[in-house]
Amino acid sequence: MKYDYAIIGGGIVGLSTAWQLQQRHPDAKILLIEKESGYAHHQTGHNSGVIHAGVYYAPGSLKAKFCKQGVTETINFCEKHGIAYDQCGKLLVATDAQEYERMKDLYQRCLENELEAEWLDDAEALKAREPNVIGIGGIFVPTTGIVNYREVCNKMAEVFASLGGEIVLSHQVTDLAEDSDKITITTEHNGAEKTFDTDFLVACAGLAADRVTKMLSIDIDFQILPYRGEYYLLPPKHNDIVNHLIYPIPDPDLPFLGVHLTRMIDGTVTVGPNAVQGFKREGYGKINFSFKDTLAMLLFPGFWKVTLKHLKAGLMETKNSWYKPGYLKRVQKYAPQLTLEDLQPYPAGIRAQAVMANGDLVHDFLFAETARSLHVCNAPSPAATSAIPIGGYICDKVAEKQKA
Ligand SMILES: Cc1cc2nc3c(=O)[nH]c(=O)nc-3n(C[C@H](O)[C@H](O)[C@H](O)COP(=O)(O)OP(=O)(O)OC[C@H]3O[C@@H](n4cnc5c(N)ncnc54)[C@H](O)[C@@H]3O)c2cc1C
């Protein structure tokens, strides 16, 4: 039997695509393949759980458009399916003169992106909004929210299946072969090989995006590098320490750096994430190491170039990863009352960051394709927020390709 569509990846991008494809093509036979025993086991299930408003992104860019649309569509999805969310708002806090200057640009960007934003001119205005946080000014963005993306994924899988979609879990795709009328997908399941044929393939493989893309001999000039994002959990006595999410004013060159205080939807508060070079793509512990992943990285020129380009920031992140007082100092910039004992263990996440051979970090979505396939090669934050519009966009792209 041949499927009309197959999707690789049970993270939020793959699930959103599968569900929306099935909705658009009710009679199509659609298969979703995931190597783990459930959904959202990697980036999606290890993120901060923030529904981003879309403050940082270049006005008019796909990222800005998808993010804004994603807030509305994620909230509608949660409302429709009874998933808890909280639009608690986010406070961007400036702690020194340089950050205050950058804050002006960021406020301008909020306006250009047509986001609701409140300018907090000084320490007092900040204190009035957030009594336990210190700084010299801030921007309040009320549309930012929080949700548990694992729950969102489980529901997307349920909806996809209820529309007639098929799912195989614990099936790792090990090979792909394309010919004039199909793609054959080889998987490994409990030590046995199994194949599936499909008319069209969409790959949303996150940390394995480059490897899956290469299975179809597509010539690519990027590699996925793993950057671990480590969190701490605050003890329950601090569950009410903040009313909103507290974010730094980012360095425009490295917008994902800077730990934040995040209220989680279960009522707890986390601190993080940092960004530390990983040596195993799916290794969540500090000392996890994979010879295969590390060798591939060391042989990739882009790894050396990006590492040298951001050497100072990288060394600082690594130092603070091992030296908890360094990490604490970052947080104390906003919340001086927190102590070392307040930083309790919490699972890390790993960003699948596409890096070009010239060392450039890819900040936007990146796609690759063949006649019968479309590969999502880079889906960086806020791809969880934007997953529903991204899924819709992928469905459009697939339709365009099939028409051509
Ligand atoms: C630390 C961290 C914090 C973040 N915080 C936020 C946030 O607060 N808000 C936000 O919007 N975004 C956030 N993001 C970004 C967001 O989580 C990701 O952009 C998004 O989850 C990407 O989803 P995905 O489906 O592309 O990837 P993934 O969730 O990684 O899913 C890919 C799936 O493909 C499967 N797979 C891979 N290879 C194979 C194979 N060979 N065969 C079968 N299956 C395979 C994997 O098992 C996995 O389930 C964060 C990311 C990180 C890492």
Side-chain angles (χ1 to χ4, degrees), residues 39-47 148-150 153 348:
Y39 313 107
H41 277 220
H42 293 290
Q43 294 179 92
T44 309
H46 286 91
N47 67 19
N148 180 337
Y149 283 111
R150 280 177 196 253
C153 282

Side-chain angles (χ1 to χ4, degrees), residues 12 50-53 66-67 69-71 74 149 382-389:
I12 198 162
V50 177
I51 306 172
H52 285 290
F66 287 164
C67 189
Q69 211 178 321
V71 176
T74 304
Y149 283 111
T385 306
S386 316
I388 301 179

Side-chain angles (χ1 to χ4, degrees), residues 326-369:
Y327 197 112
L328 177 69
K329 218 166 144 190
R330 290 266 184 95
V331 192
Q332 283 180 329
K333 273 169 76 174
Y334 325 104
Q337 65 276 52
L338 294 178
T339 64
L340 272 184
E341 291 69 44
D342 290 329
L343 300 186
Q344 300 181 351
Y346 191 81
I350 299 186
R351 300 174 184 84
Q353 176 64 56
V355 176
M356 304 309 289
N358 67 6
D360 285 349
L361 294 165
V362 182
H363 291 299
D364 218 330
F365 299 101
L366 183 67
F367 294 95
E369 56 187 56

